[in-house]
Amino acid sequence: MEFRDLKRQYHALREEITHRTERILEESRFIGGREVTELEAKLADYVGVKHCITCGNGTDALTLMLTAEGIGKGDAVIVPDFTFFATAEAVSRTGAVPVFVEPEENGFNLSVEGVEREIRRVSEEGSLCPRAILAADLFGVPANYPALAGVAEKYKMLLFEDAAQSFGGSIGEKMAGSFGMAAAVSFFPSKPLGCYGDGGAVFTNDDTAAERIRSLKEHGRGESKYDNLRIGCNSRLDTVQAAVLLAKLAAYKRYEREAAQQVADMYSQKLFTAAMVLPKIPEDFRSAWAQYTVILSGPGERSRLQAALQAKKIPSMVYYPRPLSLQRAYKALQTPEAISERTQWLCDRVLSLPFYPYMTETEVDSVCRVCREFSRNETVW
Ligand SMILES: *Cc1c(COP(=O)(O)O)cnc(C)c1O
């Protein structure tokens, strides 16, 4: 079994992907073009925002959307302590300082109380200006944006969404990628909507931000390619990747999003009696199911379950083994111990199980059987 079997999706979509990419190879035009324009329009429409600006990867998307708002030296940006490194790295690349906040009590996303506490602490401390909150939608579940928007407004800060894992998720009628003043999505191959290499996009309703991001991703261009207004970078989504994404987005809308939900439902039913905490999706929220992540009672239990799964050739992954505030790259940033302690508790217990929309019930069954068997043995001990 594979952790995320991308070959199965390829075989299901092969004809359309081949047709679309061959046309580009025949015409030999690899940068920009109608596929990129068409994809941006379709993505913006699906997410329900005015602008989608594609770029080279999700990390660039994060950096571009922060830079476009002038976030940089002297600014503090609130980020989760429990997320992929890129969330904080993008903040640091602008020159701003990431301020880490622990995860909420009943989930993996930012604790709203923690966010407010850290904003106050930074304000009182006085050396940095609390400018923005960058929340991440971990494992596909949107962060608590209704509450975070209230906090951002109260302290006159900007709210941004790291939607790298949540394309297809939602809160009520609002899709992931539409929260805050801008959102960053990643098309890394294993994300809910992935291409065949690196890719990313920024989503926003703000015309000025959209224009600035378009300029920044093309060397800070102005009127033309050889008119440069600002220092930018080179970050483009290749035409071939746009073509792949057009084929995959159609399948995602047609059936993959629903299929992922069904696989998640199967897992939750079959693991009901297992000794582990199952993913809880808040009412009115929908997960994009980037991962199906459970919480074990301790690190020893987790190692034993991983070994039991491995004995049946079932892969499993630990996302994430270490709080960002304890990464060596951030050694110089002081974080109150309680924050990393809460995060570390999760880091020691989380386990992500094989998951993808093309998984069969038989496959889900074989994973769940090992988990239930393991739970029985653990209880006896
Ligand atoms: C994957 C990911 C990113 C980075 O995306 P890339 O396309 O790999 O640069 C950023 N944040 C989170 C939460 C991610 O999962």
Side-chain angles (χ1 to χ4, degrees):
M1 189 183 298
E2 289 197 37
F3 187 70
R4 187 173 176 95
D5 192 339
L6 294 172
K7 286 181 271 254
R8 229 176 269 181
Q9 182 197 41
Y10 173 59
H11 290 135
L13 308 178
R14 175 146 70 188
E15 219 170 300
E16 203 193 334
I17 288 175
T18 306
H19 171 74
R20 281 180 181 274
T21 49
E22 260 180 7
R23 200 166 61 196
I24 293 165
L25 301 183
E26 284 294 339
E27 295 174 14
S28 287
R29 37 176 195 88
F30 304 111
I31 302 288
R34 62 174 180 273
E35 286 79 8
V36 176
T37 314
E38 184 186 342
L39 178 71
E40 289 181 341
K42 286 194 164 145
L43 287 170
D45 178 65
Y46 182 73
V47 168
V49 297
K50 213 162 149 192
H51 305 282
C52 166
I53 306 107
T54 54
C55 61
N57 56 69
T59 309
D60 281 357
L62 287 165
T63 313
L64 285 165
M65 77 178 178
L66 298 172
T67 306
E69 291 312 301
I71 286 167
K73 220 168 162 19
D75 294 332
V77 178
I78 304 285
V79 296
D81 198 20
F82 187 67
T83 176
F84 179 58
F85 189 67
T87 313
E89 185 186 32
V91 172
S92 299
R93 272 182 57 197
T94 69
V97 176
V99 173
F100 302 102
V101 165
E102 74 279 7
E104 63 203 332
E105 204 75 61
N106 290 312
F108 300 109
N109 287 327
L110 270 181
S111 149
V112 178
E113 300 84 72
V115 168
E116 200 161 357
R117 186 198 61 232
E118 286 305 297
I119 293 170
R120 284 216 208 90
R121 192 182 61 76
V122 171
S123 300
E124 277 159 28
E125 208 257 328
S127 66
L128 293 168
C129 167
R131 276 287 306 282
I133 303 167
L134 170 56
D137 306 340
L138 226 56
F139 307 140
V141 185
N144 189 351
Y145 291 103
L148 289 170
V151 175
E153 197 181 2
K154 182 171 164 189
Y155 294 94
K156 301 200 169 20
M157 291 166 72
L158 294 168
L159 176 61
F160 294 100
E161 178 184 10
D162 179 345
Q165 301 184 6
S166 60
F167 185 85
S170 57
I171 306 176
E173 298 290 297
K174 254 176 98 60
M175 299 298 289
S178 71
F179 299 104
M181 87 135 295
V185 165
S186 164
F187 304 125
F188 184 80
S190 61
K191 308 279 171 157
L193 178 67
C195 56
Y196 288 155
D198 278 309
V202 181
F203 291 81
T204 185
N205 279 317
D206 190 298
D207 297 342
T208 314
E211 198 186 304
R212 249 185 245 143
I213 292 163
R214 282 207 185 278
S215 163
L216 282 168
K217 64 169 256 195
E218 276 186 68
H219 307 290
R221 73 172 274 164
E223 297 292 313
S224 76
K225 201 169 169 180
Y226 301 106
D227 172 33
N228 308 88
L229 294 176
R230 41 176 81 84
I231 303 301
C233 63
N234 172 20
S235 188
R236 294 181 284 235
L237 182 75
D238 296 338
T239 316
V240 169
Q241 300 301 348
V244 169
L245 284 168
L246 279 168
K248 290 213 200 180
L249 176 63
Y252 188 80
K253 291 199 271 194
R254 214 161 53 235
Y255 64 89
E256 280 184 2
R257 180 177 188 246
E258 207 43 55
Q261 183 59 49
Q262 279 169 18
V263 172
D265 290 342
M266 277 192 258
Y267 260 120
S268 296
Q269 268 165 23
K270 292 174 202 292
L271 289 178
F272 190 67
T273 55
M276 53 189 69
V277 178
L278 305 182
K280 276 189 290 283
I281 312 302
E283 208 181 313
D284 225 27
F285 281 54
R286 183 170 169 140
S287 177
W289 296 109
Q291 303 295 340
Y292 189 92
T293 304
V294 299
I295 305 172
L296 281 302
S297 53
E301 285 78 359
R302 179 174 70 187
S303 308
R304 286 196 289 278
L305 176 56
Q306 278 203 283
L309 288 164
Q310 199 49 57
K312 301 269 185 209
K313 296 196 163 52
I314 299 171
S316 59
M317 306 288 264
V318 174
Y319 297 126
Y320 296 91
R322 186 182 296 166
L324 291 195
S325 58
L326 297 186
Q327 289 288 356
R328 274 182 292 171
Y330 285 126
K331 215 165 55 184
L333 293 184
Q334 291 280 321
T335 284
E337 218 155 75
I339 293 170
S340 54
E341 229 172 78
R342 277 276 299 279
T343 315
Q344 187 71 57
W345 188 92
L346 269 187
C347 291
D348 288 342
R349 288 162 179 81
V350 285
L351 189 66
S352 299
L353 301 173
F355 193 97
Y356 46 98
Y358 295 83
M359 227 176 149
T360 65
E361 179 153 17
T362 317
E363 285 167 327
V364 176
D365 251 332
S366 64
V367 179
C368 296
R369 213 170 309 127
V370 178
C371 292
R372 289 194 306 260
E373 185 92 351
F374 161 83
S375 303
R376 265 196 297 279
N377 295 340
E378 289 290 316
T379 335
V380 171
W381 293 341

